[in-house]
Amino acid sequence: MDTAERRLNGKHLSFYPGCSCSKNGTARRYGSSSIAVLKALGIEVSEINDWNCCGSNLYRIIDERGSYFLGARNLSKALEMGLPEILILCPACFLSLNRTLTEISRNTNLKNEIAKKYRVLGGPAVSRLRIRHIIDFLVNDVGEEDVKNRVVKRLEGLKVAAYYGCQITRPYGYFDDPEFPTSLERLISWIGGQPIESNLKTKCCGGMLMLTNEEEVLNVIESILRSYVKSGAECIVTACPLCHLNLEIGRARLSGRVGLDENFPIIYFTQLIGLSFNIPVEELGLGKDDVGRITEKVRLTATVKGV
Amino acid sequence: MANQNILLIEDDGIARIAAEKCIQCGTCSASCPLNRYMDYTPRQIVALVREGLVEEALKTKTIWLCSTCYLCAVRCPAKINIGEFMTALKRFALKNGYSNSLLYPKLMKTYVEYVNKYGRVSEPRLMVSFSLKTNPLKLLKMLPISIRLLKNGELSISLEKVQNLEEIKF
Ligand code: SF4
Ligand code: SF4
C-alpha cells in the first residue's frame, strides 16, 4: 500500500446529493456512479441526514435571506454528523453551498441570526467546513497513482471530450482554471482514454433558460455540439445534471443539423471511470447501448489488467 | 438624483460598485453566451444604471437572459461580478413589480413554492407544473424526449420530501 492510499483509506466525507443527483433525480446515475467509484477507491461517504434543496441560483432572487438559511441547514447537518468535509456533484449546489459558507464567514450579523436556528453554526466547528467538488477530490486528494492502480479495463485510445459547463469553475473554482480547466482531461488520461479538447468546454449550456427561452438556448447548444462534432470525440463526458440534460435534449432535437448520431454517447464522467474500474453497469446506471458504443471504440491494443 | 436610484438596489452594493468601477470596456458583453439575444448588452446595462436610468435597466430582457455563468465575472478587468449584478437587478425588478408577466419569474416562483412546501424539488414535476401554468402545448413537444428519458431511467415522478419541514421555516 503506498502512502497516498494509506492516507486516504478509510477517509470519510459527508455527501450532499442535491435534488438532481438524489435517487429520484434526473441525474441519479451521476449520484450512484460517483458513490460506486469512491467506494472502489476506499472512500466512504454518508448522505447528509434529511438534507434539503440548496436553493440554487433561483431561490435567492425571491428570498435572499431564506436562501442562506436553506444552505446553512445542510451545513449544520454535516457538522452534526461530525463530517465537515462535504462532497458535492452538482455544480449549482457546489456554487450555492460555497456561497452560503462564504457569507456566513464574512457577515457576522447573518451568522448570528442563522446560529439561533442552527446552533452548531455558532460555534468554532464552522471553520472546519469544506465544500469539495468530486472532480477536485478525485484529482487532488485521490490522485493519479490511486486512480491508475484501480483501473481494470484501460479505455485505451477512446477519444473522450469533457464538457464542464460554467459553474464548476466559476466563480468558486479554486481548484482549476475558470476558463480552461484540465482536471477532467487528466482523469480521462489516467483511465487510458485520449482527452479531446473543445474550445467551448466551459461555455454555458443555458441552464434553466431551456424552460423559458428554448429557441435561444437550443442555438447555444447547437454551437457547443458542433464544436464537439468537429473535435472528433467518440464520447462526451459531463459533470453537471443540467448540462447533461440540455445536451441530451440538444442531441435529440438537433442531431441531424449538427451531424451528430442521435445515439452518440453522452455520459457522466464518473460513469466512464466506473467502467474502467469494472464496476457493474447497473450500479453505474449505464445502458447496454452506451456501454456497447463506448467499448467498441476502445482500441484493440487495450491491455486488460487483472480479472 | 441619479445616484440615489442606484442606492435603491440594495444587496451588498454591487450596483454601486459596478457603477463606480466599470471602465466600459465591453469584455462582459463580448464574453456573454446569450449576448445575441439581449436587447441591451451587459456593458450597456451598467451604463444605464450609472446614468441613473435604473428603471430602464429593470425593463430589459437582458437581466432575465443572464444565466449566471460568470464568464464576465472572471474576465472583467475591474473585477466586477456582473453575474451578481444581474442577480441584484432581477431581485429588484421582481420586488418592484417590473417583471410579473415574464416566464422566468414564473419559473422561479414555482420553484420556490416547491422548496417551501417539500424542502426538495422534483425536476419533472417542476417542469410539468410550470408548463401547465404557462404553455401546456409545450408538454406535447417535450413528449418524445420525455419518453426517451423515461426509457433511460432518467425520469422519475416520485417526490422526495424533507422529514422535518419545520426546520426550513425561517
Ligand atoms: S467587463 Fe467589467 S469593466 Fe468591462 S464593461 Fe464589463 S463590467 Fe465594465
Ligand atoms: S453571467 Fe450573465 S451576463 Fe455574465 S456572461 Fe454569463 S450570462 Fe452573460
Side-chain angles (χ1 to χ4, degrees):
Chain A
M1 199 187 272
D2 60 58
T3 22
E5 221 172 312
R6 234 175 290 129
R7 181 171 54 88
L8 280 171
N9 229 340
K11 172 123 190 176
H12 195 170
L13 294 92
S14 55
F15 173 52
Y16 178 75
C19 305
S20 305
C21 303
S22 185
K23 48 193 178 301
N24 290 302
T26 49
R28 75 182 85 161
R29 303 178 302 169
Y30 190 13
S32 68
S33 58
S34 296
I35 291 172
V37 162
L38 291 166
K39 200 171 134 210
L41 290 163
I43 289 136
E44 198 180 338
V45 291
S46 298
E47 188 167 315
I48 294 180
N49 296 327
D50 200 31
W51 56 269
N52 57 270
C53 172
C54 72
S56 184
N57 248 351
L58 293 178
Y59 200 96
R60 59 195 290 251
I61 296 174
I62 292 192
D63 179 2
E64 188 181 19
R65 179 181 164 275
S67 76
Y68 293 128
F69 276 75
L70 277 181
R73 180 173 176 273
N74 295 310
L75 300 181
S76 75
K77 299 258 169 202
L79 276 185
E80 281 161 9
M81 289 164 74
L83 300 171
E85 196 165 355
I86 305 174
L87 191 91
I88 299 190
L89 316 179
C90 171
C93 302
F94 177 67
L95 167 62
S96 176
L97 291 190
N98 261 315
R99 182 188 300 112
T100 303
L101 186 55
T102 309
E103 273 313 303
I104 293 179
S105 314
R106 75 165 185 202
N107 182 339
T108 324
N109 287 342
L110 179 73
K111 181 179 169 169
N112 292 340
E113 208 191 327
I114 282 177
K116 276 186 212 143
K117 189 149 176 89
Y118 311 120
R119 291 182 175 273
V120 62
L121 294 176
V126 180
S127 62
R128 293 170 55 219
L129 283 166
R130 298 279 177 277
I131 316 277
R132 305 292 306 273
H133 192 268
I134 186 167
I135 298 180
D136 172 25
F137 184 73
L138 287 176
V139 172
N140 298 313
D141 286 32
V142 178
E144 177 168 4
E145 212 174 315
D146 277 20
V147 172
K148 280 185 170 168
N149 278 340
R150 201 53 202 73
V151 172
V152 177
K153 290 183 191 158
R154 275 179 66 81
L155 304 174
E156 206 68 58
L158 179 72
K159 295 182 182 155
V160 187
Y163 179 54
Y164 292 78
C166 55
Q167 292 179 345
I168 290 180
T169 53
R170 295 194 299 263
Y172 291 101
Y174 35 74
F175 64 90
D176 209 333
D177 188 89
E179 279 190 62
F180 300 105
T182 51
S183 299
L184 282 174
E185 283 75 11
R186 290 167 71 194
L187 279 167
I188 292 164
S189 70
W190 295 347
I191 58 173
Q194 181 188 337
I196 298 287
E197 282 293 336
S198 153
N199 55 354
L200 298 186
K201 65 185 180 182
T202 63
K203 178 163 176 164
C204 172
C205 72
M208 281 282 207
L209 292 173
M210 180 61 106
L211 286 171
T212 57
N213 300 71
E214 188 184 283
E215 210 185 304
E216 294 88 335
V217 171
L218 278 175
N219 281 337
V220 172
I221 292 175
E222 184 173 333
S223 69
I224 295 172
L225 285 179
R226 277 186 198 284
S227 91
Y228 280 89
V229 170
K230 219 170 86 188
S231 74
E234 293 162 337
C235 169
I236 299 176
V237 292
T238 56
C240 168
L242 208 48
C243 291
H244 191 92
L245 204 57
N246 278 353
L247 286 196
E248 286 206 51
I249 293 172
R251 178 179 60 183
R253 303 270 298 269
L254 308 164
S255 58
R257 268 173 65 180
V258 301
L260 186 77
D261 180 350
E262 62 177 69
N263 292 314
F264 184 89
I266 300 176
I267 64 174
Y268 291 102
F269 80 98
T270 43
Q271 292 180 297
L272 194 70
I273 297 179
L275 209 57
S276 78
F277 286 5
N278 214 17
I279 293 169
V281 290
E282 304 78 47
E283 258 177 84
L284 301 174
L286 268 176
K288 277 204 189 73
D289 293 353
D290 275 337
V291 175
R293 267 180 215 102
I294 291 166
T295 44
E296 82 186 14
K297 300 282 188 198
V298 175
R299 303 301 176 261
L300 290 173
T301 50
T303 46
V304 178
K305 207 180 89 181
V307 183
Chain B
M1 291 286 113
N3 289 331
Q4 257 179 7
N5 251 341
I6 295 173
L7 290 175
L8 283 177
I9 311 174
E10 62 297 270
D11 299 282
D12 45 6
I14 182 81
R16 191 179 43 76
I17 293 171
E20 273 172 14
K21 294 200 171 158
C22 175
I23 55 170
Q24 289 286 298
C25 68
T27 303
C28 50
S29 308
S31 308
C32 182
L34 278 318
N35 57 8
R36 289 168 56 192
Y37 312 105
M38 291 171 165
D39 42 2
Y40 288 79
T41 64
R43 179 191 62 81
Q44 288 174 320
I45 302 287
V46 181
L48 285 176
V49 170
R50 177 153 72 187
E51 294 308 315
L53 302 170
V54 173
E55 196 172 1
E56 248 179 277
L58 297 179
K59 285 181 181 162
T60 60
K61 280 204 285 186
T62 300
I63 59 171
W64 299 105
L65 273 168
C66 169
S67 63
T68 54
C69 77
Y70 302 109
L71 188 54
C72 53
V74 299
R75 286 182 174 175
C76 171
K79 299 201 161 36
I80 300 163
N81 189 333
I82 290 298
E84 290 302 279
F85 170 74
M86 295 291 187
T87 302
L89 290 181
K90 282 177 191 162
R91 185 179 294 130
F92 194 62
L94 212 62
K95 213 183 256 171
N96 294 287
Y98 281 98
S99 331
N100 290 333
S101 62
L102 296 176
L103 279 182
Y104 199 87
K106 281 193 184 132
L107 174 65
M108 270 177 350
K109 282 178 189 153
T110 317
Y111 175 89
V112 168
E113 274 163 29
Y114 258 93
V115 178
N116 288 342
K117 199 161 163 199
Y118 303 108
R120 294 185 191 173
V121 171
S122 149
E123 294 135 321
R125 283 180 183 232
L126 174 67
M127 282 183 223
V128 173
S129 326
F130 172 67
S131 305
L132 285 177
K133 275 190 206 168
T134 52
N135 180 5
L137 278 179
K138 198 169 162 171
L139 285 175
L140 273 181
K141 248 172 61 189
M142 292 293 283
L143 209 57
I145 174 92
S146 308
I147 290 172
R148 183 174 167 145
L149 293 175
L150 207 60
K151 273 212 316 235
N152 281 351
E154 279 171 281
L155 269 194
S156 159
I157 49 159
S158 315
L159 189 69
E160 289 181 29
K161 256 196 238 178
V162 162
Q163 301 298 315
N164 195 342
L165 278 167
E166 269 313 300
E167 283 180 11
I168 60 160
K169 303 238 162 9
F170 348 97

